[in-house]
Amino acid sequence: MEWMKTYENLTEKEKEDFALTVNRLLAQTYLVYYNDDDTRLYRFVERYHELIKEYMHIGGWKVSLHRDFRIVSVSSALDKNRLHLTIEETMFLYILRLLYDEKLKELTLAPQITVTIQELQDNYVSLQISKRLPTKDTMKKTLRIFEKHSLIKLVQGNYDNPESILIIYPTVTIATTIQAIEEFSTKLLEKSKSKGDVDIEEIDESEVY
């Protein structure tokens, strides 16, 4: 196999980076150049994309290099091992995508898109599909899941403080397609129009993307 020849020609340090890259991808789904923890590994994939891609393909994984966003992503080629989100988690993912797209239009010199936790909460309320905000524990758990999978990063404060600042990475555009967002939005509007403010539990879990 061609990838084996390439691997054998790596230096010991490069072999260490190879192992770290594979494990990091499987653990967090994405490598983001703008995340300091990932920068070196992203560059490694840029240099040895075919090696990583061929190796991961053997295990049923597809590795994609999104140069425009400076992101590396991994997904199951067998349509398995997907992250299943609850309704509330899907709601916040939807909000993150909306905020990302909105702030991208306003972006001037700032290299990254940032939001406060308060902005997430305000957007949740503005959707008018639930009579109450989720509990703090639920919100913290949700945001930690997203941070684990490199969708966001807490850069100032903590998850208990509404003024805390998060970076929204462009990975959110890969995790949520425009079509999925539009369909999810339509379903929320239908629920809201038919019943007014509805409890989040009333939306069937099978409707989550």
Side-chain angles (χ1 to χ4, degrees), residues 20-90:
L20 185 57
T21 298
V22 169
N23 279 276
R24 183 77 61 85
L25 276 171
L26 291 176
Q28 66 185 43
T29 312
Y30 302 102
L31 295 177
V32 183
Y33 175 83
Y34 299 105
N35 181 348
D36 291 342
D37 295 333
D38 293 343
T39 303
R40 180 168 59 88
L41 299 183
Y42 172 87
R43 286 175 173 157
F44 181 82
V45 177
E46 266 195 325
R47 187 176 179 186
Y48 292 108
H49 181 216
E50 289 302 315
L51 167 63
I52 298 286
K53 186 170 72 172
E54 290 178 24
Y55 175 80
M56 296 287 279
H57 178 73
I58 295 171
W61 297 97
K62 178 183 177 183
V63 176
S64 302
L65 179 58
H66 310 270
R67 295 184 186 273
D68 289 348
F69 292 122
R70 309 202 80 176
I71 291 168
V72 181
S73 67
V74 65
S75 58
S76 174
L78 306 175
D79 202 30
K80 296 182 178 180
N81 298 294
R82 292 183 177 275
L83 178 65
H84 296 285
L85 300 179
T86 66
I87 298 298
E88 286 181 334
E89 290 163 358
T90 303

Side-chain angles (χ1 to χ4, degrees), residues 93-106:
L93 181 59
Y94 168 75
I95 290 167
L96 285 173
R97 176 61 192 266
L98 292 179
L99 283 171
Y100 181 90
D101 289 345
E102 175 185 313
K103 288 179 176 287
L104 190 62
K105 297 174 184 176
E106 305 168 357

